[in-house]
Structures are given as C-alpha cells and as structure tokens.
Amino acid sequence: MRGERRKKERVLNSPLIDLMVKANGAMTEIYEVKTGCDRQSLYTAIGQLVTHSADANDGIIRKLVIPEGQLPAGIAPCLKKLGIEVRRYRLTPAPNRMVQLL
C-alpha cells in the first residue's frame, strides 16, 4: 500500500474481503491474506481476489499476502499473468511474536 493515503481513501474490510482500499467510493486495492502457501490455499486466494474485484476498475491492485516459503510449481507465473502481486511475511519468535512484512 502507498505510504500516504490520498484524500477520500478509506481502508476497509468485509465479511468476504480481508482488506480493501476505496477512493471516492471505488475499490482501488484488494488484499487476501493466507496463513499457508499450500496449493489449495493459493487457489482459494486467487479465486477470492478475482471474484471480489470483478466489478472494480481495470487499474485495481490485487495483492496476495502469504508467509515466506516455497510456492507450489507453476503458481508464480499464474499470479504474474493474472496481475496479482505477492507480499510475504514471517512471524518473529515467541514470546513477543509479531508479523514482519518482508
């Protein structure tokens, strides 16, 4: 996401969408967050991103937020072709566990 939000931008979520940014009432960014990188989780995330942004403008930013680790074979080129950006994260060790975006 941009470091500074433009006027009239709002960050929201819904029962179906993990995180979205709307500017002047139109969705400009959509994020799907998963806790694993297994094939089924990624297929689900891709479907969610595509389905929930189908009515958005052509310039919508679609981001998949997943933990660090190996992606199943063939997934990375598909994400690129679909215009889905990937953001990785890791968990820091306990007892002060935090999410670190990479």
Side-chain angles (χ1 to χ4, degrees):
M1 218 165 58
R2 296 179 282 296
E4 213 176 290
R5 288 188 300 166
R6 294 175 292 177
K7 277 189 171 183
K8 304 285 184 178
E9 271 191 336
R10 295 182 334 152
V11 177
L12 310 157
N13 67 353
S14 77
L16 299 176
I17 299 172
D18 290 339
L19 185 77
M20 70 183 118
V21 177
K22 285 189 170 185
N24 299 318
M27 187 187 313
T28 58
E29 300 176 44
I30 183 170
Y31 295 78
E32 183 60 36
V33 180
K34 293 296 179 197
T35 58
C37 294
D38 60 281
R39 190 171 292 277
Q40 187 58 51
S41 293
L42 297 174
Y43 284 167
T44 300
I46 291 165
Q48 289 171 298
L49 286 167
V50 171
T51 300
H52 299 310
S53 65
D55 290 338
N57 294 331
D58 289 338
I60 188 164
I61 297 168
R62 294 176 180 95
K63 287 203 181 183
L64 172 59
V65 183
I66 53 176
E68 62 184 343
Q70 187 73 25
L71 290 178
I75 294 290
C78 293
L79 293 170
K80 185 175 181 177
K81 186 166 186 161
L82 292 168
I84 296 172
E85 299 175 31
V86 176
R87 185 72 194 258
R88 306 306 285 267
Y89 69 87
R90 77 165 59 111
L91 293 175
T92 62
N96 299 321
R97 189 172 300 277
M98 292 178 18
V99 174
Q100 279 184 333
L101 292 174
L102 306 176

